[in-house]
Amino acid sequence: MKDRPLVLSDFISFLQQMNMAKENNSMAELKSQHNFRSFNQHEAAECPRSLSLEGLLCRLKAIEAKKDDKFANILNAVGEFGTFQRRLVALTFIPSILSAFFLFADIFVFTPQKPYCNTSWILAVGPNLSEAEQMNLTLPRESNGSFLTCLMYVPVDWDLNSIIQFGLNHTDTCQDGWIYPEVKKRSLINEFDLVCGREANTRIVQIMFLAGFLTGSLIFGFISDKLGRYPTILLSLLGLIIFGFGTAFVSNFHQYLFFRFGVSQAVIGYVISSVSLATEWLVGVHRAHAIILEQSFFAVGAMFLTGLAHSLPHWRLLYLVGGAPVFFLISYIWILPESPRWLMMKGKLNEAKQVLCYAADVNKKTIPLNLLDKLQLPRKVTSSSILDFRNDRHLRKVTSVMCSVGFAVGYNCHTLSFRIRELGVNIYFTQVIPRLMELPARLCCIFLLEQFKRKRSLSLTLFQGTLMCFLSLILPSELKFLSVLIIVLGGFILVASVTVFLIYTAELLPTVLRTTGLGLVFLAWAAGYILSLMISSQGIPILPIFLCCISSIMALTLCSKLPETQDHLLPESLEHFLPLTRTRNEDMLNEDISRDDVTEEVAKNTILNTMMMNMDRDVLSNLPSQSREEEIDRRTEGQAPR
């Protein structure tokens, strides 16, 4: 028989035969097999220690999968990171800046104000009174001599001299609104008089914003998987134009709440869809770098907001000037591409080929016709729904783990931000310093992912961020400088954790349900934020500490069960989805097969040597006991067998 190349099926069948032989062996042969293993110990030492036969088989399967992944081959022909991909990454910068601007604008339009009752009625009898004289005659004072903010003297029909001589005695709540003599900037508080018993309205803003975040994560995640990344991003950008820029023209507080609800939906819709689009267009390290850059410009947008809010005197000007670049996003209708991976999964083969050819043309590349012709629809066009997160066991486990991590990160992030506000630090300091730290924190993720990969990086940053959050909660308020330092450091680490978490989640989820899964994960993040908001208002010191530890311990424990995704192919459908349940040996195997020095030839040669060694073992095991010992002695002494 002529020699033929060793194929993968030979190795698999051999492995199955080995397993059957192991099951049929009796306990009486264990001693002789132990002697044989001792005899071959020096031979086994020459092989890679951590490369098992199963590991090498999986390595060969991975190699074959990469060879058969026609889409990956086409992306290589298009160019891994050419002009088209660089332009795609650059297109995410402006929406990221504007998303951060609209997301954090509430912090600066609800600055604390000191109100006083409007007592302009006295100007009818004393039109030449100064503001100080007017307040002195019409406002009651506290025991320390300062004016009361929510009470006034009841108006009387006296002349000015009588009022000055006898004074006013009867007080009542403010009847004609409020004035803000000590305030130099116009904010929502003095625009809509959110003072003196109406302060709870500011908390309603947070509730409405989180409500939009919750509904938007579900709605836009579902729409993006059904209609595509391109239309969902355009819909999100339209929401930024209408509800973001349009906030400057609201006429009452209820309209402002509605517009904030719409903005939060648009922001989360854009984040989910843009991360998925970058994940599906880019390969290798370029994918992680693109998402990190997008998040870095999110930090730039927060710093841009801080500087603009400090310089502009009116909250409406803040929305007008800061939101004006949003109209540039109209051009995305013509320059934003669709995800070819999503088009393939939805059976739109021609559209996918057109998008790929356009990308190759921009990169000045040419896709070989034979390679493009090999691009075919999946055997079964995938139909998926949100019910798959309940029905598919592996998808359910992965989503549950990432939701627990998202909940812990959201809870810890808000707990830190609430803690620094408790310390009474200046609002601009609490925004500028964390945002300045946020930019290098996200960029450090590039080095972190290269050294520790996705799984270890997420565990490391989550553990350190939780530790900083715990320390900030147990430190007394008297140690203000140390507390602020720990909070800033904790925010730095948690920002890196959010970035790694976003990359990792996008790579874990299959293309057909990627944005829906991201929506569920952000839903858990918002739930952690809401719980932290509720607990912080209770004033129970031990409760935030307890939940901080419990949520993080649970997230870290579950995170250890996730598979590594770095240098692996993206799962396209539920059939290609990576199983979550892995043994310790499989985790070690993932480390081995990701190394570049384990090539296909090395794997095949090692399996061949293993096969020969096992054949010798089978021959010896069939010999009588005495003959077997003589044969082992001869091989040990280097003699030839009889």
Side-chain angles (χ1 to χ4, degrees):
M1 183 182 295
K2 294 183 180 180
D3 295 337
R4 63 181 179 87
L6 197 63
V7 296
L8 188 60
S9 59
D10 298 332
F11 300 138
I12 297 175
S13 61
F14 171 71
L15 180 59
Q16 293 173 348
Q17 293 174 7
M18 284 181 58
N19 293 333
M20 293 176 61
K22 287 179 181 178
E23 294 177 357
N24 296 329
N25 284 340
S26 63
M27 296 298 296
E29 297 177 350
L30 292 177
K31 183 176 180 180
S32 61
Q33 291 176 2
H34 174 73
N35 294 334
F36 182 77
R37 284 195 298 269
S38 300
F39 158 68
N40 286 301
Q41 186 174 4
H42 68 282
E43 295 183 11
E46 297 176 359
C47 298
R49 180 170 54 88
S50 60
L51 288 178
S52 62
L53 184 61
E54 292 85 351
L56 292 169
L57 285 170
C58 289
R59 173 62 179 172
L60 286 175
K61 288 180 180 179
I63 294 173
E64 294 296 328
K66 289 183 179 180
K67 288 181 178 179
D68 293 337
D69 189 0
K70 301 178 180 61
F71 191 84
N73 296 333
I74 290 180
L75 284 182
N76 291 331
V78 169
E80 288 190 1
F81 199 68
T83 304
F84 178 83
Q85 287 85 353
R86 289 194 293 270
R87 189 180 70 181
L88 176 64
V89 175
L91 288 176
T92 64
F93 293 166
I94 295 179
S96 296
I97 293 173
L98 293 172
S99 296
F101 177 87
F102 292 126
L103 189 65
F104 299 114
D106 283 334
I107 298 173
F108 299 99
V109 299
F110 283 98
T111 52
Q113 310 279 334
K114 193 169 184 179
Y116 299 99
C117 293
N118 180 15
T119 57
S120 58
W121 62 269
I122 200 174
L123 296 179
V125 295
N128 296 325
L129 289 175
S130 64
E131 188 177 65
E133 292 173 337
Q134 174 187 341
M135 294 174 63
N136 187 49
L137 292 173
T138 57
L139 296 179
R141 294 179 180 268
E142 296 182 5
S143 57
N144 59 4
S146 60
F147 293 110
L148 292 174
T149 57
C150 296
L151 292 175
M152 60 177 285
Y153 288 118
V154 178
V156 294
D157 295 332
W158 301 349
D159 57 61
L160 182 60
N161 293 330
S162 299
I163 294 175
I164 296 175
Q165 182 178 358
F166 299 104
L168 303 175
N169 296 320
H170 300 289
T171 60
D172 197 0
T173 57
C174 301
Q175 300 176 0
D176 298 319
W178 293 264
I179 59 173
Y180 306 87
E182 301 175 4
V183 176
K184 298 180 179 179
K185 291 188 176 183
R186 191 72 169 170
S187 71
L188 275 172
I189 290 181
N190 52 37
E191 178 86 10
F192 301 121
D193 292 328
L194 305 178
V195 293
C196 296
R198 303 174 65 184
E199 292 87 354
N201 287 331
T202 58
R203 188 171 294 273
I204 294 176
V205 176
Q206 290 181 309
I207 296 174
M208 290 296 293
F209 190 86
L210 288 173
F213 204 92
L214 291 170
T215 56
S217 60
L218 290 178
I219 293 174
F220 280 94
F222 177 78
I223 291 176
S224 183
D225 277 332
K226 290 300 180 182
L227 302 182
R229 304 349 179 185
Y230 168 75
T232 309
I233 291 177
L234 293 182
L235 188 62
S236 302
L237 298 181
L238 179 63
L240 289 180
I241 295 174
I242 296 175
F243 297 107
F245 186 80
T247 306
F249 303 98
V250 297
S251 58
N252 56 65
F253 185 67
H254 295 290
Q255 288 183 7
Y256 183 84
L257 290 178
F258 175 73
F259 274 68
R260 294 303 293 168
F261 177 80
V263 163
S264 60
Q265 286 189 326
V267 168
I268 191 60
Y270 171 75
V271 171
I272 290 174
S273 301
S274 63
V275 167
S276 298
L277 186 64
T279 300
E280 293 162 6
W281 259 112
L282 300 171
V283 295
V285 296
H286 305 297
R287 179 189 304 135
H289 293 174
I291 297 176
I292 290 171
L293 280 177
E294 179 180 349
Q295 297 301 303
S296 298
F297 275 86
F298 194 84
V300 171
M303 290 189 290
F304 168 68
L305 167 66
T306 305
L308 206 60
H310 182 71
S311 58
L312 293 178
H314 202 293
W315 70 273
R316 293 186 188 272
L317 282 176
L318 179 64
Y319 278 103
L320 287 173
V321 176
V326 77
F327 292 101
F328 171 78
L329 303 180
I330 297 175
S331 62
Y332 281 40
I333 297 174
W334 299 279
I335 59 179
L336 196 68
E338 180 57 275
S339 166
R341 291 183 184 271
W342 179 86
L343 290 171
M344 288 289 298
M345 289 298 102
K346 294 301 178 180
K348 301 179 180 181
L349 180 61
N350 293 330
E351 291 87 340
K353 289 182 178 181
Q354 291 175 2
V355 172
L356 290 169
C357 290
Y358 172 73
D361 184 61
V362 173
N363 289 339
K364 298 181 179 179
K365 301 280 187 178
T366 302
I367 304 177
L369 290 178
N370 58 346
L371 189 60
L372 196 61
D373 292 338
K374 291 180 181 178
L375 189 64
Q376 298 177 354
L377 292 175
R379 297 177 182 177
K380 181 181 179 181
V381 177
T382 306
S383 60
S384 56
S385 69
I386 195 171
L387 296 178
D388 290 323
F389 289 95
R390 180 180 64 86
N391 299 331
D392 188 87
R393 182 169 60 93
H394 299 310
L395 183 60
R396 183 173 66 250
K397 289 182 178 180
V398 166
T399 309
S400 300
V401 172
M402 299 313 290
C403 283
S404 67
V405 176
F407 178 88
V409 171
Y411 178 85
N412 290 336
C413 285
H414 181 265
T415 302
L416 284 178
S417 63
F418 183 82
R419 177 62 176 163
I420 199 169
R421 287 197 297 269
E422 272 187 335
L423 296 174
V425 183
N426 181 272
I427 185 173
Y428 291 98
F429 176 83
T430 60
Q431 292 302 311
V432 172
I433 301 301
R435 301 312 166 196
L436 288 176
M437 298 289 287
E438 186 174 329
L439 189 58
R442 297 189 187 276
L443 295 177
C444 283
C445 292
I446 297 175
F447 172 79
L448 194 66
L449 292 174
E450 290 178 353
Q451 296 298 319
F452 300 102
K453 299 186 178 180
R454 272 59 162 166
K455 181 177 177 179
R456 291 180 181 175
S457 298
L458 181 59
S459 300
L460 180 64
T461 53
L462 181 58
F463 172 75
Q464 292 179 341
T466 302
L467 181 62
M468 294 296 105
C469 184
F470 175 76
L471 291 176
S472 69
L473 291 172
I474 63 174
L475 281 176
S477 301
E478 290 76 14
L479 301 175
K480 185 173 181 179
F481 176 78
L482 183 60
S483 298
V484 172
L485 182 63
I486 289 177
I487 291 172
V488 171
L489 183 59
F492 177 90
I493 298 172
L494 284 176
V495 164
S497 179
V498 170
T499 304
V500 177
F501 168 72
L502 196 58
I503 297 171
Y504 196 16
T505 306
E507 293 180 343
L508 278 171
L509 296 169
T511 299
V512 291
L513 289 171
R514 180 165 288 120
T515 55
T516 306
L518 283 172
L520 293 175
V521 169
F522 276 109
L523 190 70
W525 183 92
Y529 189 100
I530 293 173
L531 183 63
S532 177
L533 182 66
M534 295 172 57
I535 291 176
S536 300
S537 61
Q538 297 298 321
I540 305 175
I542 193 63
L543 197 55
I545 299 174
F546 175 76
L547 286 175
C548 172
C549 297
I550 291 299
S551 62
S552 300
I553 290 173
M554 183 180 295
L556 286 169
T557 303
L558 295 175
C559 186
S560 63
K561 300 180 180 296
L562 290 173
E564 180 58 62
T565 61
Q566 188 157 320
D567 301 325
H568 285 74
L569 298 176
L570 285 177
E572 302 292 355
S573 62
L574 297 179
E575 289 75 14
H576 303 116
F577 192 58
L578 291 174
L580 177 64
T581 307
R582 293 174 180 267
T583 63
R584 182 174 180 272
N585 291 332
E586 287 173 328
D587 289 336
M588 295 174 61
L589 168 63
N590 286 334
E591 297 293 331
D592 295 328
I593 65 176
S594 62
R595 297 175 183 171
D596 294 334
D597 56 349
V598 184
T599 61
E600 183 177 7
E601 286 301 320
V602 172
K604 287 186 177 181
N605 291 335
T606 307
I607 293 178
L608 283 171
N609 293 334
T610 307
M611 293 173 66
M612 297 301 297
M613 290 169 58
N614 283 279
M615 290 173 63
D616 289 342
R617 185 189 66 181
D618 294 338
V619 171
L620 289 175
S621 64
N622 293 328
L623 293 176
S625 177
Q626 183 176 0
S627 301
R628 185 187 308 152
E629 293 177 357
E630 292 177 357
E631 187 70 20
I632 292 175
D633 292 338
R634 290 190 186 94
R635 294 193 179 193
T636 306
E637 296 173 0
Q639 299 176 2
R642 293 180 180 178

